[in-house]
Amino acid sequence: MADTKKRSLDSDNGTESGPEKKLASGDGAGKDTKKPTADPGSEAGSVLAGFQTEKIMRESSREKNIFIHGKMGSGPNEGRDAVLILEKTPFREDSLAELFKTSELKLQMRNDIYSTYHLHPPTHLNDIKATMVCPATEKHIKKYQSQELFLIQESGEDYRNITLPYIQEQSFSVQWVYNILEKKAEADRIVFEDPDPQNGFVLIPDFKWDQKQLDDLYLIAICHQREIKSLRDLTREHLPLLQNIQQQGQEAIMKRYSVPSCRLRVYLHYQPSYYHLHVHFTVLGYEAPGCGVERAHLLSDVIQNLQTDTQHYHTRTLTYPLRADDALLHKLREAGRF
Ligand code: M7G
């Protein structure tokens, strides 16, 4: 079995070892974000130079991340709302020797056999993953704000009467998904593609994964079909698509990263944030956001449920969490369903 815990990625398993080249391209929050930037990597420093923090929406000293709502200070998006996520990256075993050799060490305190230091590594061993959403809509800002959650029991009828009309009006743009499928963005990051319009998909690293090490491996498979919004639309006729994603997705990950299928958690979110069917592939042992039982549906269970009953996801009550300020929660409340 492949040891994914401490391995880092470099050219011998086929991925780039250099720093991530792109900040996230626009997700269609504004009409002018439809054209992805060709190479946003080099502009990152100047884009952040004038960034004005409005509010810290969430931060965790344990997870070493911070979610900031701010305004862009310069460039074409000057004055516009943005969400900036900063996250310290995991340690890489293969760079430890260099870290020890090249870092500056300053003693903080010594007491008996105990001592603490400040370690100042060189810049390339000290990077911070930065994710930017700009222009960010009100909904993006809410998505990252910490909020109380409530568990919803949504029947098939609730879905058709309340949820579906809501998501048709209110959901996030999936322009970023179409950009990937049409090779207008992230084309150089595609790990695998089956171009078949019915059963094909694109497998690509999720933008939460910096691809530097395997302990937080995270890819998504995005299907070429555009009419499938979520789990709720699936019937037995989609089994060839789902089985194809499962089988070819796992094989591609084995081939590229040497991570076998028995080390992968392969699942769909309900509710997703983006209503174009996609499947999450994360490595076991990594507590990816949204991999809990209240949101993640294992693809193998989905396949079996559809094999047993083609109407399963049309009729079943599905349980999922909603944030206190989610407009869907208010709609369900108004309808007396919560
Ligand atoms: P989801 O279940 O719809 O929503 O998953 P979630 O974000 O609430 O989990 C969408 C997945 O796509 C998430 O894992 C995102 O991190 C990922 N993702 C979102 N965007 C905007 C991008 C993007 O532009 N590029 C890539 N590669 N992944 C993205």
Side-chain angles (χ1 to χ4, degrees):
M1 196 179 293
D3 169 22
T4 55
K5 191 72 193 130
K6 287 288 160 213
R7 290 196 16 232
S8 54
L9 291 178
D10 53 34
S11 43
D12 42 83
N13 50 31
T15 45
E16 289 176 29
S17 59
E20 192 72 337
K21 290 215 177 60
K22 285 186 169 80
L23 285 179
S25 54
D27 119 305
K31 297 269 182 280
D32 50 348
T33 60
K34 288 203 170 175
K35 264 200 198 146
T37 320
D39 179 15
S42 54
E43 75 187 31
S46 59
V47 161
L48 285 187
F51 187 85
Q52 298 284 328
T53 299
E54 296 268 305
K55 189 173 180 197
I56 305 300
M57 296 186 287
R58 198 190 323 164
E59 65 113 1
S60 160
S61 45
R62 192 188 150 94
E63 290 170 26
K64 314 274 183 303
N65 59 22
I66 187 162
F67 295 71
I68 307 162
H69 169 209
K71 296 243 191 263
M72 298 306 289
S74 59
N77 286 318
E78 186 170 348
R80 290 180 128 168
D81 283 298
V83 171
L84 177 63
I85 304 165
L86 302 179
E87 192 179 352
K88 301 231 176 164
T89 51
F91 288 103
R92 294 169 49 191
E93 192 174 314
D94 66 343
S95 61
L96 284 180
E98 193 187 351
L99 185 81
F100 301 150
K101 223 177 276 168
T102 56
S103 302
E104 195 192 333
L105 196 65
K106 282 192 183 148
L107 182 71
Q108 200 185 7
M109 72 91 189
R110 181 171 287 140
N111 184 348
D112 189 33
I113 59 170
Y114 307 99
S115 35
T116 64
Y117 299 88
H118 291 293
L119 186 94
H120 301 285
T123 20
H124 69 284
L125 295 178
N126 197 20
D127 62 333
I128 291 176
K129 184 178 189 301
T131 306
M132 171 87 82
V133 183
C134 182
T137 61
E138 186 76 31
K139 201 170 153 77
H140 285 107
I141 296 163
K142 281 187 179 168
K143 175 176 157 92
Y144 295 108
Q145 178 89 51
S146 22
Q147 275 268 326
E148 221 174 342
L149 293 172
F150 296 94
L151 216 52
I152 297 300
Q153 308 268 326
E154 179 198 82
S155 67
E157 211 175 308
D158 293 335
Y159 172 73
R160 283 180 290 281
N161 296 338
I162 304 166
T163 310
L164 181 60
Y166 170 77
I167 59 180
Q168 279 165 339
E169 255 174 48
Q170 299 271 339
S171 53
F172 283 127
S173 160
V174 288
Q175 187 58 47
W176 68 272
V177 171
Y178 297 155
N179 288 343
I180 290 174
L181 295 176
E182 293 166 16
K183 319 284 161 18
K184 291 180 180 164
E186 304 188 52
D188 54 338
R189 287 160 43 92
I190 292 176
V191 169
F192 174 83
E193 176 170 18
D194 174 345
D196 185 85
Q198 275 303 108
N199 298 329
F201 65 97
V202 168
L203 181 71
I204 194 160
D206 192 283
F207 78 169
K208 289 202 277 285
W209 184 35
D210 68 5
Q211 300 179 75
K212 296 262 177 71
Q213 59 287 309
L214 293 175
D215 21 338
D216 56 349
L217 175 141
Y218 198 149
L219 294 102
I220 41 171
I222 302 173
C223 70
H224 277 297
Q225 279 197 57
R226 296 193 176 193
E227 315 72 49
I228 316 171
K229 286 184 286 305
S230 74
L231 204 57
R232 279 287 190 202
D233 287 340
L234 295 174
T235 62
R236 211 171 271 163
E237 78 177 78
H238 300 109
L239 283 172
L241 166 70
L242 299 174
Q243 283 161 335
N244 192 36
I245 291 180
Q246 183 170 52
Q247 197 184 326
Q248 295 215 75
Q250 287 175 342
E251 280 172 16
I253 290 175
M254 180 65 193
K255 202 164 161 205
R256 173 70 72 96
Y257 305 106
S258 307
V259 177
S261 57
C262 59
R263 297 273 306 132
L264 291 175
R265 188 192 289 117
V266 185
Y267 57 98
L268 295 91
H269 275 158
Y270 192 76
Q271 299 268 348
S273 295
Y274 303 96
Y275 293 92
H276 174 113
L277 194 82
H278 56 274
V279 175
H280 302 248
F281 290 74
T282 58
V283 70
L284 278 184
Y286 169 51
E287 299 256 322
C291 76
V293 289
E294 74 279 32
R295 196 158 175 232
H297 296 251
L298 285 177
L299 179 58
S300 52
D301 287 347
V302 172
I303 290 172
Q304 281 197 54
N305 288 335
L306 291 173
Q307 282 166 337
T308 311
D309 175 10
T310 183
Q311 290 295 310
H312 185 97
Y313 292 102
H314 287 185
T315 51
R316 263 292 293 263
T317 292
L318 296 178
T319 304
Y320 56 85
L322 283 180
R323 305 153 47 81
D325 64 357
D326 196 308
L328 181 57
L329 186 80
H330 297 296
K331 293 220 179 286
L332 288 159
R333 193 179 275 136
E334 271 165 28
R337 298 296 297 127
F338 173 71

